[in-house]
Amino acid sequence: MSTRDYIPYGRQKISEADKRAVLEVLESDFLTQGPVVPAFEQALADFCGAKFAIACNSATSALHVACLALGVEKSSVLWTSPITFVSSANCALFCGATVDFVDIDEQTFNMCPLALKEKLESAESKDELPDVVVVVHMCGQSADMKSIGELSKKYGFRVIEDASHAVGGSYYGQYVGSCRYSDVTIFSFHPVKILTTGEGGMAVTNDADLANMMVELRSHGITRDPERMESPPHGDWYYQQIRLGFNYRMTDIAAALGLSQFGDLNRRVEDRNRLAGSYDRLLTNLEVTTPFIKTGVVSSFHLYVIKLTDKKIRKTAFDMLREEGIGVNVHYIPVPTQPFYKRIGGWTEESFPKSTDYYQRAISLPMYPELTLEMQKRVVRTLAEALAL
Ligand SMILES: *Cc1c(COP(=O)(O)O)cnc(C)c1O
């Protein structure tokens, strides 16, 4: 491979076994609503130690049905982190609810529990407490779920974990998705994420009512379960629409890819951790902050984000890396500073100072299982040149 080859920031890994699994579905009786979606759901639920899993056609649709199942509606208030993909906040607006944000912890880039506590105290005095908090496990590192779980009990809000980055990561010995401190956990299977189904997502929960509701919501609000019908079934053909839902179903084609990929999830996370370790070592003498992982947490390292000490050189460094064929990226532009959010909430760059400071310094380095040490050395060499400009 020439040293000029482009290194993307993320890339899916598809094995021959993955291709065979997809082909098998294509040659079977069911392209959708067959046996593979439930098999993928069961595998992920068992792995996470959660009772129920509901596959959807994206994490965004899973977030939407999770919000609806939790009763989010027009009068509801949902809080999330500014440093996330827009879906974590958009899901509230899909339900007509109001969104607000809680600033991040500067070391982990996750929602800061202290900032959350302070915002809750002030919201309580104004009778504006949130109904739901969407906690994002940024880069694959679990947020401080013990503290957030305690606050949720004290102030009575429900918790959704947006674990789009974090499948295979763990928190004090339990895999992300155990829902020990939350109501629902969401995963994404977009191709840049740890596992992929092309497009796809999954909600996991231990609450049977929430699970039933999400199953109905992802398929038009329809049930075939006589127990959940409002009157006796007319016959075997019968189904009832008991609420308003969507077509958010995952296909069996997609689930076959996901289930096959899931087979080496632990290996994928180990590979990413090994790559993160190499970056940590290669970057020791550069003017950057490398990721800080808290005790008790295993990150799945969806992203490897460095922060530049000197934020003034971020753009030139980024441009030079891109010019040299290194596909760096920035995750994320603080959601409240997006034009749409500025319009509806009146936020500015000053509203969430830690998120803004993070945004001005952050660069995501390439991170995917097939990255080699040689490629990592080239990334770091180019970064060193860019910082010396
Ligand atoms: C990727 C991502 C999403 C959206 O996932 P889709 O499957 O593309 O809908 C939501 N939240 C976070 C934090 C993400 O990284």
Side-chain angles (χ1 to χ4, degrees):
M1 211 190 282
S2 114
T3 54
R4 302 293 313 167
D5 284 339
Y6 187 73
I7 304 177
Y9 91 84
R11 191 176 194 288
Q12 70 276 13
K13 179 179 146 196
I14 307 289
S15 69
E16 290 307 312
D18 294 343
K19 293 178 196 168
R20 277 198 303 277
V22 172
L23 255 178
E24 245 172 66
V25 170
L26 289 175
E27 288 165 355
S28 78
D29 292 336
F30 299 99
L31 301 188
T32 191
Q33 296 181 282
V36 190
V37 167
F40 183 32
E41 289 173 333
Q42 190 67 51
L44 207 66
D46 290 347
F47 175 86
C48 296
K51 290 200 181 108
F52 310 98
I54 298 91
C56 292
N57 54 10
S58 69
T60 304
S61 54
L63 281 162
H64 186 190
V65 296
C67 284
L68 289 171
L70 286 170
V72 175
E73 39 96 28
K74 208 160 175 280
S75 68
S76 307
V77 176
L78 181 147
W79 291 359
T80 189
S81 167
I83 299 300
T84 184
F85 186 59
V86 292
S87 302
S88 319
N90 286 351
C91 59
L93 304 180
F94 297 159
C95 309
T98 305
V99 177
D100 202 352
F101 299 87
V102 180
D103 212 354
I104 58 165
D105 171 275
E106 60 204 11
Q107 279 191 305
T108 63
F109 325 146
N110 283 327
M111 180 182 286
C112 172
L114 205 64
L116 175 61
K117 183 166 174 279
E118 283 167 7
K119 197 176 173 83
L120 286 163
E121 283 163 2
S122 130
E124 188 179 38
S125 64
K126 290 182 274 183
D127 205 18
E128 286 173 359
L129 283 171
D131 300 283
V132 174
V133 173
V134 175
V135 181
V136 180
H137 301 319
M138 184 60 189
C139 303
Q141 162 158 235
S142 174
D144 184 349
M145 292 309 296
K146 284 187 186 178
S147 305
I148 292 167
E150 271 169 33
L151 291 169
S152 89
K153 284 208 189 95
K154 180 163 180 206
Y155 290 95
F157 59 83
R158 314 293 292 269
V159 178
I160 298 175
E161 294 175 67
D162 182 346
S164 292
H165 298 183
V167 71
S170 66
Y171 180 74
Y172 290 96
Q174 283 181 308
Y175 284 117
V176 170
S178 74
C179 298
R180 168 127 187 236
Y181 304 99
S182 67
D183 296 285
V184 186
T185 301
I186 307 293
F187 298 115
S188 170
F189 308 125
H190 181 278
V192 296
K193 308 286 161 76
I194 311 254
L195 301 176
T196 191
T197 57
E199 297 280 2
M202 187 96 75
V204 295
T205 182
N206 291 316
D207 182 322
D209 290 335
L210 290 179
N212 281 326
M213 214 106 84
M214 290 190 282
V215 166
E216 287 156 11
L217 286 162
R218 84 168 157 191
S219 196
H220 311 284
I222 282 172
T223 185
R224 290 179 179 278
D225 177 358
E227 299 267 310
R228 295 184 64 79
M229 291 182 188
E230 294 175 10
S231 52
H234 301 168
D236 273 354
W237 67 86
Y238 196 62
Y239 59 83
Q240 267 185 358
Q241 184 185 348
I242 55 173
R243 63 185 84 253
L244 183 62
F246 311 89
N247 181 350
Y248 282 170
R249 294 185 305 262
M250 179 183 282
T251 66
D252 278 48
I253 305 168
L257 180 54
L259 183 58
S260 178
Q261 297 238 313
F262 168 77
D264 69 348
L265 174 57
N266 282 330
R267 173 74 198 280
R268 286 165 187 264
V269 172
E270 279 164 26
D271 285 348
R272 286 172 179 273
N273 273 273
R274 176 178 46 74
L275 293 165
S278 314
Y279 270 140
D280 287 348
R281 284 188 295 280
L282 293 168
L283 289 163
T284 29
N285 295 319
L286 299 191
E287 290 288 305
V288 301
T289 311
T290 54
F292 169 81
I293 305 299
K294 284 193 146 186
T295 313
V297 177
V298 177
S299 175
S300 56
F301 273 107
H302 163 54
L303 298 174
Y304 187 92
V305 173
I306 56 166
K307 282 200 294 183
L308 303 193
T309 310
D310 180 2
K311 63 183 168 199
K312 291 193 298 296
I313 61 174
R314 202 269 303 268
K315 188 170 184 305
T316 42
F318 183 95
D319 290 347
M320 177 169 170
L321 283 154
R322 281 274 179 101
E323 273 163 33
E324 294 298 319
I326 315 279
V328 285
N329 216 324
V330 174
H331 299 91
Y332 291 94
I333 305 153
V335 176
T337 69
Q338 293 287 356
F340 171 77
Y341 277 92
K342 281 187 167 170
R343 217 152 51 226
I344 64 167
W347 292 288
T348 68
E349 277 65 17
E350 285 77 47
S351 307
F352 304 99
K354 290 198 169 143
S355 297
T356 297
D357 182 74
Y358 162 84
Y359 168 58
Q360 291 169 338
R361 296 174 193 279
I363 296 183
S364 304
L365 299 185
M367 171 56 92
Y368 50 93
E370 284 161 328
L371 198 67
T372 63
L373 184 60
E374 283 317 303
M375 290 154 96
Q376 288 189 289
K377 285 183 179 163
R378 188 180 133 207
V379 171
V380 174
R381 205 164 52 235
T382 315
L383 176 66
E385 287 165 21
L387 295 181
L389 278 181

